[in-house]
Amino acid sequence: MALDQYQEEEEEGGMSFLDHLEALRWHLLRSVSAILIFTVIAFLAKSIVFGIIILGPSKIDFFTYRWLCQLSDYVGVPALCIDELPFTIQSRQMTGQFSMHMTSSLMVGFIVAFPYVFWEVWKFISPGLYDKERNAARGAVFFVSLLFFLGAAFGYFILAPLSINFLANYQLDPSILNEFDITSYVSTLTMLVMASAIMFQLPVVVYFLAMSGLVTSGMLRSYRRHAIVVILILAAVITPPDVISQILIAMPILVLYEAGIQIAKRLEKKRAIKEAEDDVDDAL
């Protein structure tokens, strides 16, 4: 059966189990193809992707470091300026540079293709929703993609450089030199960026849970202290073992948790208004 026929059946909701699997296969193939296309582009643009983007936080002229130095001059606090990164990056394995070139290209390809990938996922899921649920989730692709990019930007421009600076300047003894392997550097940067991007999806998760009635604003407020502990634990797990990184990623997540409370509260008000209108219509 042609792809267009599968899509038409998917929209009509008359697909069999095997047809759903076939449709899912096409959605996955298109998603993977998009990631691979951007991965190849990133791989070919080595000087930009690796030399500027990936290695950016390891260089003293990185945007965040320059901005902190400008801020230190403005507020008169010299300690804010990061003007030295006492470490070098090495490749101790024969395949180290090539494998990290592949890894970084794949990471960039996935981040760039994320809106399209999520759109394909949503296109597969949405036909199974009721009209009411589909209307309530309108704009999901935009907001999920926006939060994903905000989280990735936070991880790249804030969390990663400050974590790298802390770890680069941490010494047990002056005789010990910080010579990081390229594998360690890229994996740490990837973990920080992707963890931030995923954690920033909290408002979306709260929205769908509140829409389905699984959580309420009152429940979120009552479990606020527990949520703070869980967020701090997650921050400790996904960040390098330094307090600064944990606090940096925990703070925006706490703000997003509070935003989730307001989202749930707004949904409850809309639901109450709708129920009141339905009661009036029934009375008439």
Side-chain angles (χ1 to χ4, degrees):
M1 186 177 292
L3 175 60
D4 293 337
Q5 292 177 300
Y6 277 111
Q7 291 176 336
E8 291 176 0
E9 290 185 0
E10 186 178 8
E11 293 175 356
E12 296 173 357
M15 297 178 66
S16 66
F17 177 73
L18 292 179
D19 290 338
H20 275 292
L21 290 180
E22 179 67 11
L24 176 61
R25 183 172 73 89
W26 280 106
H27 286 300
L28 292 176
L29 284 175
R30 289 194 294 269
S31 299
V32 172
S33 298
I35 295 174
L36 290 178
I37 289 172
F38 285 110
T39 297
V40 171
I41 295 174
F43 185 85
L44 296 176
K46 178 177 64 173
S47 59
I48 297 175
V49 172
F50 206 88
I52 297 177
I53 298 177
I54 301 299
L55 293 178
S58 69
K59 300 176 181 178
I60 202 61
D61 60 348
F62 187 60
F63 169 80
T64 303
Y65 303 137
R66 290 189 284 108
W67 180 80
L68 286 174
C69 288
Q70 293 174 359
L71 179 62
S72 68
D73 293 337
Y74 181 77
V75 299
V77 182
L80 289 175
C81 183
I82 300 174
D83 55 5
E84 183 182 8
L85 292 173
F87 73 94
T88 58
I89 298 178
Q90 298 181 350
S91 179
R92 296 184 177 88
Q93 299 177 0
M94 185 174 295
T95 60
Q97 295 195 52
F98 178 76
S99 62
M100 287 304 100
H101 186 191
M102 292 290 296
T103 301
S104 59
S105 299
L106 182 61
M107 181 187 69
V108 173
F110 174 77
I111 291 175
V112 175
F114 178 82
Y116 178 79
V117 172
F118 185 78
W119 179 77
E120 286 287 352
V121 173
W122 181 251
K123 191 177 179 182
F124 175 75
I125 295 175
S126 58
L129 302 177
Y130 294 107
D131 292 337
K132 180 181 178 181
E133 296 172 336
R134 195 180 298 113
N135 292 332
R138 186 174 299 171
V141 175
F142 171 78
F143 288 107
V144 169
S145 300
L146 176 63
L147 289 173
F148 180 86
F149 285 127
L150 287 176
F154 176 83
Y156 179 73
F157 288 105
I158 304 298
L159 187 59
L162 295 183
S163 298
I164 290 172
N165 173 68
F166 173 83
L167 296 174
N169 285 279
Y170 188 85
Q171 282 187 318
L172 295 175
D173 187 85
S175 63
I176 303 175
L177 300 178
N178 283 329
E179 298 177 348
F180 303 140
D181 188 81
I182 184 62
T183 304
S184 176
Y185 173 82
V186 173
S187 61
T188 300
L189 179 64
T190 302
M191 178 186 64
L192 292 173
V193 172
M194 295 305 298
S196 297
I198 294 172
M199 294 288 282
F200 267 59
Q201 300 300 318
L202 181 60
V204 176
V205 175
V206 172
Y207 176 83
F208 282 104
L209 291 177
M211 187 176 64
S212 61
L214 296 176
V215 299
T216 63
S217 59
M219 182 188 302
L220 294 173
R221 282 193 296 266
S222 63
Y223 284 97
R224 182 183 281 114
R225 294 182 179 178
H226 301 81
I228 292 174
V229 175
V230 173
I231 290 172
L232 289 175
I233 293 175
L234 288 176
V237 172
I238 65 178
T239 58
D242 66 280
V243 178
I244 296 178
S245 299
Q246 296 169 14
I247 295 176
L248 282 174
I249 196 171
M251 288 177 62
I253 301 304
L254 291 174
V255 173
L256 292 174
Y257 183 85
E258 295 297 328
I261 294 177
Q262 298 303 317
I263 291 173
K265 187 176 180 180
R266 185 176 180 181
L267 286 175
E268 291 166 4
K269 288 183 178 180
K270 287 185 177 180
R271 190 180 296 116
I273 294 173
K274 185 66 169 60
E275 292 176 353
E277 292 175 351
D278 292 341
D279 292 339
V280 172
D281 293 339
D282 293 338
L284 296 177

